[in-house]
Amino acid sequence: MSIEAQPEAESPLDLPRLNRSLRPSAKAPVRIVHLGLGAFHRSHQAWYTHQAKDAGDWGIAAFTGRRPDAALALAEQDGLFTLVERAGGGDSFTVVSSIVEAVDGADVRRLAQLVAAPGTVVITLTITEAAYRLGSHGHLDTTAPDVASDLALLASGTGNPATPLGRLVFALAARRAAGAHPLAVVCCDNLANNGTVARNAVLGMAQSWDPGLAAWIESTVSFVSTSVDRITPRTTEADIAAVEAARGYHDSSPVVAEPFTNWVLSGSFPAGRPRWEDAGAVFVDHIEPYENRKLWLLNGAHSLLAYAGQLRGHTTVAQALADPQCLDAVEHFWNEAEVHLSGPAAGGADLQIPAYRTALLARFSNTRIAHHLAQIAMDGSTKLRMRAVPVLQAERAAGRSGAAAALMIAAWADYTAAAEVQDPLAADIAKANRLSGTERIQALLKLVDPVLAADRGVVDLITDLCGTFDQPTLSP
Ligand code: CS2
């Protein structure tokens, strides 16, 4: 049964609302501050924290990004929400209680207060890949309009920063002023080397505002790299109705996720952390092979399916994967990518690639999870840098064409010409699309990777591959 076909529940007015009096659970003290309160944070880090044996010591204060809605809705439920684990054969439900405060991200004063508090020792981030505002040189682009505007605000001391990075740097300044102790910043966004990316972005912002603060961050804050994994589509009205029908209470903010979950971490926690290993988190010395496996095989396939699948008329990951042309493109991309995950590239880690690929096919084919391709297609210019570019570069360095990775970029290029894109570089993408032929591809590729864009062979290859997914399928 598809989730759209779930039976209608009674009106929420007839049902009690989920909160701590309905589900008694003590509030743990805030020791973790999270930026980016969305579905993924709730299905992943909040769930791991809830499952830890020492969960009673670790409360999360979670701040939203652009809009306050998720915080307002969750605050009405004392931070409680239902995690629906949706397997092929049925749903299971857990009320997660680790979020003890849900706050509008615009409340920068509260953020600064909590980050400055000595009890806070971990800051987790799910602020999206694009929010790190990485320029093509791999460092913070201080000319990006929102970054520049936050830097001006910080310098003048006249207003509240609006970007997650600006807010974080502002709050870290408050911690420094309070003389509080070291803490760990844990990046949970899908970026290669995400701890280093977060560190560079935070330091880049701090350096432009107050070099003394940058020096303090460098010596006091540990940046932990992680590879995070759990497929979590946006919550729908049907999900809310499904929880009402199955549990008999109204939860405005349930989150639906696949049963599979994975968290690999690398780095130090100078003032402690929850026992996330109780829920299966793994701590390693060298994270890169795990990051690449996930970014290339899972996220790479996702982006390929997002662009190719929509061009072929599909809406969800499961639908796209059932289309032989899309599946074939994914298999070819995996064949290219996996060569660069084995041998010395694996650094001694047993990545079990064949089993990982088989598991991915099963995860993507879970038709009870309606994972929308349009959601995955967002921010393509940033995502392709992590998902297609490294494989394409590695293939070219090995003397091969990298046609399967190039096809992902070609599908993105076709998609940007056919649909309205949500991307921090949307204006530049639109400008590039006013050109034609190889000039157009070169301009688009320049937004993803200027070095590849200067390689005529790559530009020609991608130009030739455009149009591969032109024919929509007759039946979905
Ligand atoms: C997806 C990821 O939206 C996307 O770009 O590829 O959110 C993906 O679902 C998660 O990384 C799975 O862990």
Side-chain angles (χ1 to χ4, degrees):
M1 183 171 66
S2 79
I3 57 165
E4 280 81 9
Q6 300 278 355
E8 284 290 320
E10 294 170 70
S11 146
L13 293 175
D14 303 324
L15 296 172
R17 179 184 269 280
L18 176 63
N19 56 34
R20 286 185 198 251
S21 55
L22 187 70
R23 291 291 144 121
S25 53
K27 278 195 175 186
V30 173
R31 298 188 68 198
I32 303 174
V33 167
H34 180 77
L35 266 63
L37 171 53
F40 182 71
H41 168 62
R42 289 186 286 126
S43 77
H44 194 271
Q45 304 95 57
W47 178 82
Y48 276 88
T49 306
H50 174 83
Q51 296 289 112
K53 291 209 175 81
D54 54 358
D57 299 335
W58 293 92
I60 303 173
F63 289 75
T64 53
R66 286 191 205 97
R67 291 194 306 270
D69 317 23
L72 298 176
L74 214 55
E76 275 194 50
Q77 301 182 173
D78 304 326
L80 297 185
F81 64 92
T82 312
L83 172 72
V84 183
E85 287 184 330
R86 182 153 285 165
D91 291 347
S92 67
F93 303 83
T94 310
V95 174
V96 176
S97 57
S98 53
I99 298 183
V100 295
E101 194 172 328
V103 194
D104 175 0
D107 191 349
V108 180
R109 305 284 141 191
R110 182 65 183 146
L111 178 69
Q113 201 177 35
L114 286 171
V115 169
T120 300
V121 297
V122 175
I123 299 177
T124 49
L125 307 176
T126 54
I127 58 178
T128 78
E129 294 96 317
Y132 295 86
R133 290 291 181 264
L134 279 182
S136 45
H137 39 67
H139 287 274
L140 179 74
D141 178 6
T142 47
T143 64
D146 54 354
V147 174
S149 149
D150 264 8
L151 283 172
L153 280 177
L154 289 169
S156 66
T158 51
N160 287 338
T163 66
L165 285 179
R167 289 171 179 171
L168 176 57
V169 167
F170 179 82
L172 287 171
R175 188 170 180 95
R176 178 185 179 216
H181 298 290
L183 87 176
V185 170
V186 185
C187 179
C188 303
D189 286 294
N190 288 316
L191 293 149
N193 246 319
N194 59 8
T196 307
V197 169
R199 183 174 180 276
N200 289 344
V202 168
L203 284 177
M205 195 107 188
Q207 188 70 40
S208 307
W209 174 33
D210 173 358
L213 174 64
W216 178 84
I217 293 173
E218 219 166 349
S219 62
T220 319
V221 179
S222 156
F223 288 87
V224 176
S225 278
T226 74
S227 174
V228 293
D229 194 1
R230 184 165 226 181
I231 291 172
T232 310
R234 264 192 210 118
T235 303
T236 63
E237 290 299 324
D239 300 331
I240 294 174
V243 172
E244 287 173 359
R247 310 307 282 171
Y249 57 70
H250 175 66
D251 177 350
S252 66
S253 314
V255 60
V256 173
E258 60 173 342
F260 178 93
T261 180
N262 185 248
W263 199 3
V264 187
L265 302 97
S266 182
S268 69
F269 289 83
R273 59 165 175 81
R275 290 179 43 95
W276 288 319
E277 59 271 39
D278 294 336
V282 179
F283 293 81
V284 299
D285 290 334
H286 303 292
I287 198 165
E288 208 186 328
Y290 299 94
E291 280 180 330
N292 289 342
R293 180 180 66 175
K294 199 261 168 167
L295 284 169
W296 300 350
L297 301 186
L298 189 151
N299 298 115
H302 257 177
S303 287
L304 184 48
L305 291 170
Y307 304 122
Q310 289 190 92
L311 289 166
R312 303 258 306 149
H314 306 300
T315 307
T316 66
V317 171
Q319 285 166 358
L321 197 77
D323 176 342
Q325 197 186 351
C326 294
L327 174 63
D328 194 53
V330 167
E331 298 274 13
H332 274 99
F333 177 68
W334 282 349
N335 291 344
E336 271 183 9
E338 75 169 32
V339 175
H340 308 287
L341 287 169
S342 56
D350 181 7
L351 295 177
Q352 304 187 6
I353 303 294
Y356 192 87
R357 282 175 61 158
T358 306
L360 278 185
L361 290 175
R363 292 171 64 194
F364 288 173
S365 313
N366 180 350
T367 49
R368 297 191 67 243
I369 298 263
H371 198 185
H372 286 263
L373 298 170
Q375 181 183 342
I376 299 168
M378 283 166 50
D379 298 340
S381 65
T382 309
K383 289 178 178 175
L384 290 179
R385 281 182 210 152
M386 255 73 62
R387 303 177 181 197
V389 167
V391 175
L392 183 50
Q393 282 168 336
E395 282 291 275
R396 310 270 317 169
R400 292 186 293 272
S401 74
L407 184 57
M408 191 192 312
I409 302 177
W412 169 72
D414 283 345
Y415 172 80
T416 64
E420 200 183 314
V421 292
Q422 283 195 54
D423 194 293
L425 300 182
D428 301 291
I429 291 171
K431 198 167 151 208
N433 274 324
R434 288 198 279 277
L435 302 168
S436 59
T438 49
E439 277 194 343
R440 173 179 157 255
I441 295 304
Q442 185 163 40
L444 284 170
L445 190 54
K446 204 167 171 189
L447 303 174
V448 176
D449 189 288
V451 176
L452 283 178
D455 182 333
R456 186 68 206 198
V458 173
V459 173
D460 285 345
L461 173 65
I462 296 175
T463 309
D464 287 347
L465 289 167
C466 282
T468 302
F469 300 103
D470 262 359
Q471 291 301 315
T473 50
L474 291 177
S475 57

